Amino acid sequence: MLSRLICYIKGYLRIQIAGYSTERFLNACRHRGIYLWGLQAVSGAYEMNISISGFRKLKPIIRKTGTKVTILKKSGLPFYLFRYRKRKLFFAGAFFFVFLIFWMSHYIWNIDITGNKSRTDETLLEFLEEKSVRNGMAKSDVNCQRIVKDIRKEYDDIIWVSASIRGTRLIIQVKENEDSPAVSADPKEAAEPGGAVQPVDIVADRSCTIVSAIVRNGLLQTKIGAKVKKGDVLVSGQVPVNNDAGEVTGYQYHVSDADIIGKTKIKYKDSCSNTYIEKENFDVCKKQYSLSLGNIRFSFGGIKNDYEHFTMYGEQGQLKFFDNFYIPVFWWSREAIPYTPHKKQHEKEEIQQILTERFVRYCEDLEKKGVEIIENDVKIYTGQDESEAKGSLTVRMPIGKEKSSKLLEVPEQKEDEGKETGDEVDGNDGDDH
């Protein structure tokens, strides 16, 4: 591919060699280092490609071998430029286009954000806009380290950020901490005791019966078979420290870590209308195309129509060269297809199939989250206007969520008063005289 591009830029000729000493001609070219390619035998002669510089070296070889050289075709950029040398506006436009591409390569025209789940791209882009990071800014003004620090400072649940520039793209990759503990609104709960680790409890996120508990960090506050309510502390992040008398003298602070399984019931409800709308499309389609360069926008066609019902389809994109070279040219396409709605009735079997398929997908999603279904008590009820699938599922599932621990006070210890029961001390340790 690269060699073909170089040959096109330098230019080359397709020539035909005829005569009694064509083999001698080929040997002479090889001896003088003249590169030939695309060699073919055609009706007693040879056709081949040769560079412009190599063609200029053929005169002594042709005279010595007595062969005849005919130019069949001229290809490459030099011949193309020579052919259109009088079209000054064309070359001026081409030069301006190359200059424009070169100029736009010094700016950011696309901001790509990946890894965000709890926050949309629009939310992060608005935050970056407040920090003067936007499309159209010069790449020299982009401070990737500052972008990383600003995002980490603004969003506590984002634990890792990477910002880099590739071509005309600013690529921002983030990683969220999905297991981050809830931030307490109480200042006493948020305070870190003496610079120690902030204790974090695991509390029940739903009422259930504890089936199993494996604690890796923290102190278990319940037992197997116990019934707990939503909000109850299951594992405490404050482990008491006792003295020889069994009295609490302090606490060790931990971020609780445990796998707790509980048995509980999950309510399920889904509904489906007994009727549906069938669309009968017309053989009419209204289309509109738009193209924008910066703040300039051009539109072609239209989607206005007098139909009461129509379906709208749209598509948009940004012009780019290769994967990372975006330019500020955007395009849109929209089309409106009118239709006539017809109201139709679902068959009973169809309704049952629809609700059953939805329920099966719901159960599959639960299993992906580590939920084990023990008992299924979901039934389908058919009404006049709509049908329902409702009931409950008895499941075994992971229980607990992290929450900042409310700091416990250390009980005050009673000091030794220096006397035993029934003894009196008067300050003298001898007999009175």
Side-chain angles (χ1 to χ4, degrees), residues 81-348:
L81 296 176
F82 181 79
R83 188 180 307 124
Y84 297 103
R85 64 188 181 279
K86 294 183 180 180
R87 299 186 179 183
K88 297 180 180 179
L89 290 178
F90 171 77
F91 289 106
F95 175 79
F96 176 74
F97 176 76
V98 173
F99 171 77
L100 186 64
I101 294 297
F102 176 76
W103 173 75
M104 288 191 297
S105 66
H106 291 79
Y107 294 84
I108 296 295
W109 299 115
N110 179 267
I111 300 178
D112 182 38
I113 302 176
T114 59
N116 52 314
K117 296 180 180 178
S118 61
R119 293 178 176 83
T120 61
D121 290 352
E122 289 73 17
T123 301
L124 295 176
L125 288 174
E126 288 178 2
F127 170 74
L128 293 174
E129 180 78 20
E130 295 175 358
K131 299 297 181 179
S132 300
V133 178
R134 59 179 68 91
N135 285 326
M137 69 181 302
K139 291 197 290 187
S140 58
D141 296 336
V142 178
N143 189 334
C144 293
Q145 293 182 350
R146 173 55 58 187
I147 293 173
V148 170
K149 291 180 180 178
D150 289 341
I151 295 178
R152 289 286 304 277
K153 184 178 180 180
E154 180 69 16
Y155 304 105
D156 295 334
D157 59 333
I158 295 180
I159 59 176
W160 179 81
V161 185
S162 171
S164 60
I165 297 175
R166 298 179 188 174
T168 58
R169 300 175 69 195
L170 173 60
I171 300 178
I172 299 177
Q173 298 173 302
V174 301
K175 182 175 178 58
E176 299 174 347
N177 183 9
E178 300 178 356
D179 299 326
S180 59
V183 178
S184 174
D186 189 346
K188 293 181 180 180
E189 295 181 20
E192 294 188 356
V197 176
Q198 168 67 28
V200 176
D201 297 338
I202 295 180
V203 300
D205 54 357
R206 62 176 65 240
S207 299
C208 66
T209 301
I210 302 299
V211 175
S212 65
I214 301 175
V215 180
R216 289 179 289 272
N217 216 1
L219 182 64
L220 184 64
Q221 299 292 302
T222 185
K223 59 182 179 180
I224 306 302
K227 294 182 178 181
V228 297
K229 297 181 180 180
K230 182 178 180 180
D232 290 350
V233 177
L234 304 179
V235 179
S236 174
Q238 303 178 74
V239 179
V241 178
N242 300 328
N243 58 17
D244 294 339
E247 299 172 331
V248 177
T249 60
Y251 292 94
Q252 293 181 348
Y253 299 107
H254 302 273
V255 176
S256 299
D257 183 16
D259 293 331
I260 301 176
I261 303 298
K263 180 181 177 181
T264 185
K265 285 189 176 183
I266 300 177
K267 292 184 179 180
Y268 178 83
K269 185 177 181 180
D270 188 18
S271 61
C272 174
S273 175
N274 293 344
T275 60
Y276 67 98
I277 301 297
E278 185 179 83
K279 299 178 181 179
E280 181 183 356
N281 293 331
F282 291 96
D283 294 332
V284 178
C285 182
K286 297 285 187 176
K287 295 184 179 181
Q288 183 183 49
Y289 302 95
S290 300
L291 183 69
S292 70
L293 175 59
N295 295 325
I296 304 174
R297 182 168 179 172
F298 305 94
S299 296
F300 311 93
I303 57 174
K304 292 184 178 180
N305 59 81
D306 298 329
Y307 295 96
E308 182 180 0
H309 304 281
F310 58 90
T311 305
M312 183 75 69
Y313 299 94
E315 188 178 2
Q316 65 178 12
Q318 184 178 2
L319 187 61
K320 65 176 182 178
F321 299 101
F322 310 106
D323 291 334
N324 296 312
F325 196 94
Y326 284 76
I327 61 177
V329 177
F330 299 87
W331 57 268
W332 294 266
S333 66
R334 296 191 298 172
E335 65 177 13
I337 302 177
Y339 66 90
T340 299
H342 298 286
K343 190 174 183 179
K344 292 193 173 183
Q345 190 82 13
H346 275 301
E347 297 292 338
K348 185 176 181 180

Side-chain angles (χ1 to χ4, degrees), residues 24-39:
R24 186 182 176 190
F25 173 88
L26 297 175
N27 290 332
C29 289
R30 182 175 180 275
H31 179 71
R32 292 182 178 235
I34 300 174
Y35 179 61
L36 304 173
W37 72 96
L39 182 64

Side-chain angles (χ1 to χ4, degrees), residues 68-86:
K68 180 182 179 181
V69 177
T70 305
I71 299 176
L72 302 177
K73 185 179 179 182
K74 299 177 181 179
S75 304
L77 185 61
F79 301 108
Y80 180 83
L81 296 176
F82 181 79
R83 188 180 307 124
Y84 297 103
R85 64 188 181 279
K86 294 183 180 180

Side-chain angles (χ1 to χ4, degrees), residues 268 356-373 393 395:
Y268 178 83
T356 301
E357 289 178 353
R358 291 181 185 176
F359 178 69
V360 169
R361 287 196 296 269
Y362 175 78
C363 293
E364 290 175 351
D365 291 338
L366 289 180
E367 291 176 356
K368 291 178 181 178
K369 297 177 182 179
V371 178
E372 179 187 356
I373 299 175
L393 295 171
V395 299

